[in-house]
Amino acid sequence: FQVNEEMVLVSNGADHVLNLIGQAFINEGDEVITGEPTFVTYETATRIMGGSIIKVPLNNFKFDLTAIAKKISDKTKLIFICNPNNPTGTIVTDVQVNNFLEKVPDNCVVVFDEAYAEYVQEKNYPQTIKYIREGKNVILVRTFSKIYGLAGLRVGYAVGPKHLMDILRKVVEPFSTNK
Ligand SMILES: *Cc1c(COP(=O)(O)O)cnc(C)c1O
């Protein structure tokens, strides 16, 4: 990604990274929005912190970013977008993400779970790193588990702007993946 080291956090699998994001950003009473059906950790990471999860049904097997944007309230802290979505294998496109991010307020962090990014062939798959370089409140999460078949090693990582990664690093326990 050609970013500074301080914009990267490596930990015990993407699953753990998602939980760290929950610990870092969710307080009791906060709202978190995602799609349904999607990867389960967004909900568990939210509930563990006392947040409430809002699940917006997929539209034609895809994350419905227009419907998700309409659910944003002043309590919304995080939005988890699984792209490609597990279990449907569908993507949201660069144009859709661009339009969506324009509607997201500054006090809200958008997390793109890109566990399957390396398999995507569509040319209009969003380059989320672009928003991160611009300093937007966007974090991308990836993993060695799928494309490298190394799920047993437990290596996942987040990339985000320094101001968010500094917060994320505060909740990392001292003995996670060595790096
Ligand atoms: C597999 C998967 C993860 C978790 O990956 P690990 O790095 O093994 O924890 C996270 N998100 C999605 C969408 C996945 O499919």
Side-chain angles (χ1 to χ4, degrees), residues 12-16 18 39 41-42 82 84-86 113-116 141-146 151 154-156:
N12 302 331
D15 189 67
H16 183 236
L18 293 166
F39 194 63
T41 302
Y42 319 134
C82 191
N85 186 39
N86 177 357
D113 182 345
E114 301 181 346
Y116 296 92
V141 178
R142 295 205 182 188
T143 174
F144 284 20
S145 294
K146 308 288 161 55
R154 310 307 306 135
V155 184

Side-chain angles (χ1 to χ4, degrees), residues 89-150:
T90 52
I91 65 159
V92 287
T93 67
D94 47 8
V95 172
Q96 288 165 345
V97 166
N98 222 29
N99 292 339
F100 173 70
L101 288 177
E102 277 172 19
K103 297 180 210 155
V104 177
D106 286 343
N107 54 350
C108 186
V109 176
V110 183
V111 180
F112 290 91
D113 182 345
E114 301 181 346
Y116 296 92
E118 295 90 346
Y119 298 94
V120 175
Q121 291 176 343
E122 286 96 328
K123 296 249 178 323
N124 56 0
Y125 182 66
Q127 301 298 313
T128 44
I129 191 70
K130 184 180 80 182
Y131 305 107
I132 292 165
R133 290 212 183 93
E134 288 168 1
K136 293 221 164 77
N137 286 335
V138 168
I139 297 176
L140 71 82
V141 178
R142 295 205 182 188
T143 174
F144 284 20
S145 294
K146 308 288 161 55
I147 189 73
Y148 304 115
L150 293 175

